[in-house]
């Protein structure tokens, strides 16, 4: 970033903002999270495997744990958008029933799932942002219920809140599963309650358990999965990182 001032200025690089109103990122990244399971950063083109039409077949896990996302079926591969005009970063576009599948099979604990994403427009059906392959005993999902404008998380127990204000809007979301379930949106705690004791056996991005239904036509900027609950300190650092990077506070 190079700036030329025709005068003396007291502005420093640390306070500069880009055209989207974002400040420079600090040194903290999700790699510092104590129980990081996987980290999918769609703004990092070096992690994206795509064809000449920008259809994505793999997104590499930046955690170093090798928990990559893949999609081998050409007709189901999401679109990579190198510089989304709305958010100013590279994103993954799942429009047209496109979705990604995991390369891992289990978690040691009930997870916390974090995402910078654009929520879907109003709909009459359910749209599942996160899911897993087990429809019954080990399921955990986060979905937009378009028929009643509710955002819902489930992991054996269920918590919901009114999501009408998030229609067609970019936001940061943190979903903590387990008996002390919580959902934060842009750093604000929206709902708490028990999400049960079920542990998901896998991960699906943008569809239901078998990749055939409840597709969500939207864009994802970043998805981070923790193997367990998020500490208050990690949530503070993570929220600062997401707010600064995506400008969504």
């Amino acid at each position: 970033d190079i700036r030329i001032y025709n005068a003396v200025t007291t502005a420093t690089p640390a306070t500069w903002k880009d055209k989207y109103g974002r400040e420079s990122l600090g040194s903290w990244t999700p790699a510092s999270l104590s129980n990081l399971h996987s980290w999918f950063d769609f703004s990092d083109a070096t992690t994206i495997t795509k064809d000449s039409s920008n259809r994505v077949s793999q997104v590499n896990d930046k955690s170093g744990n090798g928990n990559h996302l893949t999609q081998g079926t050409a007709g189901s591969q999401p679109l990579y958008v190198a510089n989304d005009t709305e958010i100013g970063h590279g994103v993954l576009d799942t429009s047209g029933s496109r979705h990604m599948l995991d390369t891992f099979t289990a978690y040691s604990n009930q997870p916390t799932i974090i995402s910078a994403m654009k929520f879907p427009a109003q709909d009459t059906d359910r749209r599942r942002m996160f899911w897993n392959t087990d429809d019954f005993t080990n399921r955990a999902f986060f979905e937009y219920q378009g028929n009643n404008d509710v955002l819902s998380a489930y992991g054996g127990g269920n918590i919901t809140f009114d999501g009408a204000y998030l229609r067609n809007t970019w936001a940061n979301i943190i979903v903590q599963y387990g008996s002390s379930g919580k959902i934060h949106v842009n750093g604000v705690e929206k709902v708490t309650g028990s999400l049960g004791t079920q542990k998901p056996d896998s991960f699906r991005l943008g569809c239901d358990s078998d990749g055939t239904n409840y597709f969500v036509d939207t864009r994802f900027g970043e998805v981070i999965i923790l193997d367990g609950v998020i500490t208050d300190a990690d949530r503070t650092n993570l929220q600062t990182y997401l707010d600064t990077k995506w400008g969504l506070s």
Side-chain angles (χ1 to χ4, degrees), residues 93-106:
D93 188 334
T94 59
S95 299
S97 304
R98 312 284 179 148
H99 55 283
M100 298 296 291
L101 312 175
D102 63 28
T103 56
F104 49 91
T105 56

Side-chain angles (χ1 to χ4, degrees), residues 211-229:
T212 62
N213 207 346
Y214 300 128
F215 301 106
V216 57
D217 290 349
T218 194
R219 294 187 170 193
F220 292 91
E222 197 159 359
V223 175
I224 300 160
I225 303 175
L226 307 185
D227 194 352
V229 300

Side-chain angles (χ1 to χ4, degrees), residues 140-247:
F141 64 73
F142 178 63
E143 68 178 8
Y144 169 60
Q145 298 175 1
N147 57 328
N148 56 10
D149 269 335
V150 162
L151 284 163
S152 172
Y154 179 87
N158 180 244
I159 57 176
T160 65
F161 68 96
D162 183 359
Y165 78 102
L166 286 170
R167 288 184 211 146
N168 210 33
T169 299
W170 277 90
N172 300 318
I173 189 148
I174 301 176
V175 183
Q176 178 178 297
Y177 290 87
S179 58
S180 299
K182 300 176 183 179
I183 300 177
H184 285 75
V185 178
N186 290 342
V188 177
E189 186 176 271
K190 302 300 293 186
V191 63
T192 64
S194 176
L195 279 170
T197 59
Q198 294 186 7
K199 254 188 329 190
D201 59 354
S202 54
F203 184 73
R204 300 286 183 263
L205 183 67
C207 64
D208 69 347
S209 59
D210 57 5
T212 62
N213 207 346
Y214 300 128
F215 301 106
V216 57
D217 290 349
T218 194
R219 294 187 170 193
F220 292 91
E222 197 159 359
V223 175
I224 300 160
I225 303 175
L226 307 185
D227 194 352
V229 300
I230 186 169
T231 66
D232 290 341
D234 278 347
R235 183 184 292 107
T236 297
N237 286 327
L238 181 61
Q239 195 62 56
T240 299
Y241 165 84
L242 292 171
D243 289 349
T244 304
K245 180 174 179 177
W246 297 97

Side-chain angles (χ1 to χ4, degrees), residues 1 27 47 60 63 79 111 129 194 220 223:
D1 193 351
S27 59
T47 69
N60 289 340
S63 75
L79 178 70
M129 281 72 88
S194 176
F220 292 91
V223 175

Side-chain angles (χ1 to χ4, degrees), residues 6-59:
N6 188 27
V8 175
T9 177
T10 58
T12 63
T15 61
W16 287 348
K17 295 183 179 181
D18 65 14
K19 67 178 182 179
Y20 300 95
R22 295 182 302 237
E23 297 179 357
S24 300
L25 279 174
S27 59
W28 191 95
T29 74
S32 301
L33 290 165
S34 56
N35 52 351
L36 182 62
H37 176 278
S38 43
W39 173 19
F40 309 111
D41 182 0
F42 306 116
S43 71
D44 184 351
T46 66
T47 69
I48 307 290
T49 301
K50 57 185 178 61
D51 63 17
S52 58
S53 298
N54 290 321
R55 291 296 177 182
V56 177
S57 58
Q58 181 162 318
V59 180

